[in-house]
Amino acid sequence: MKKSIIIIISLVLVITIIVGGILFIKNNNGKAPKEKKLQTAEEMQNMLNTIYSNGKVELPSLENAVIDVSDETQVNVYTGLKSNANVEELVVSVPFINSQAYSLAVVKVSENADIEQMKQEMLDNIDMRRWICVSAEKLYITNYENIIFLVMSSEEWAKPVYEEFKNFVENDIGKELEKSEIADIELPPEM
């Protein structure tokens, strides 16, 4: 009697495990559920450290900083957003020497925000010539869930960093936006 109860319980456990495994595979296409990797400023900074540590591109000495999102001016300078209303976190990466055209911003936006509208506003309003004597050549913007990623610099710095972000989030990104800055600097007539 005891032996048959043990066998029945074992069969029920095996069937439960098999059914659970089939449902897991069916619902997740064989992939483990994704964790939200970028919900805090610390996680955003860790992501940047991971991207920069790959060694695929030699970048200038950079400083990662958490920006106070209540400072609307700073939010505007780093993102081009005219309002800080839907910005929950902002982490930036900029060179120690300001005369190098490189700027990266990771923006966590509130759940109810129109992320596509915010990305377009960033594309339209970011100042790609904000440095003295230099300008960013290329701007890339995309998002992962409620995180907007913006990088602008020379093509040789911006593109690899942008690609590493996409790799970091396993290419689970939204619409990609990009812009090129055409330099039409007027020289004095004597030059």
Side-chain angles (χ1 to χ4, degrees):
M1 182 81 157
K2 260 187 171 181
K3 204 174 194 181
S4 62
I5 292 175
I6 292 175
I7 291 173
I8 291 172
I9 291 173
S10 297
L11 284 173
V12 169
L13 281 172
V14 168
I15 291 170
T16 304
I17 291 171
I18 290 171
V19 170
I22 290 170
L23 290 175
F24 175 79
I25 290 170
K26 184 178 178 183
N27 291 334
N28 296 302
N29 294 325
K31 296 179 183 175
K34 280 191 173 190
E35 293 179 26
K36 289 193 174 201
K37 302 175 188 176
L38 303 172
Q39 294 304 299
T40 66
E42 182 180 352
E43 290 170 335
M44 293 177 203
Q45 289 180 310
N46 290 339
M47 181 224 22
L48 291 177
N49 292 335
T50 300
I51 287 173
Y52 292 149
S53 68
N54 76 10
K56 290 186 179 178
V57 63
E58 192 170 321
L59 295 166
S61 295
L62 300 170
E63 168 185 28
N64 297 340
V66 178
I67 302 301
D68 177 4
V69 296
S70 67
D71 185 342
E72 198 167 274
T73 301
Q74 289 291 329
V75 170
N76 177 264
V77 166
Y78 289 110
T79 68
L81 293 170
K82 294 182 179 185
S83 168
N84 59 353
N86 289 309
V87 178
E88 293 184 0
E89 295 279 354
L90 175 58
V91 175
V92 300
S93 185
V94 294
F96 284 116
I97 300 171
N98 285 333
S99 64
Q100 295 172 311
Y102 182 91
S103 182
L104 183 148
V106 184
V107 184
K108 178 184 176 189
V109 302
S110 58
E111 280 187 37
N112 60 350
D114 182 346
I115 203 159
E116 292 304 325
Q117 182 272 328
M118 290 179 74
K119 288 172 12 185
Q120 188 63 50
E121 183 178 340
M122 292 167 77
L123 181 78
D124 294 342
N125 296 317
I126 193 80
D127 183 4
M128 293 177 68
R129 295 182 178 190
R130 73 172 193 225
W131 301 275
I132 299 171
C133 300
V134 293
S135 174
E137 296 171 349
K138 201 71 173 179
L139 167 68
Y140 296 99
I141 301 172
T142 193
N143 69 290
Y144 164 73
E145 297 178 355
N146 66 330
I147 302 297
I148 299 175
F149 183 87
L150 173 152
V151 62
M152 65 179 179
S153 186
S154 65
E155 178 76 16
E156 69 184 78
W157 286 347
K159 183 72 171 180
V161 170
Y162 181 68
E163 292 299 325
E164 283 302 309
F165 170 75
K166 292 190 321 186
N167 289 338
F168 185 85
V169 297
E170 299 171 354
N171 286 314
D172 183 14
I173 59 171
K175 182 178 177 183
E176 296 180 84
L177 304 174
E178 66 179 75
K179 180 163 79 172
S180 296
E181 180 68 26
I182 300 170
D184 9 319
I185 299 171
E186 293 185 30
L187 296 175
E190 59 273 2
M191 296 188 90

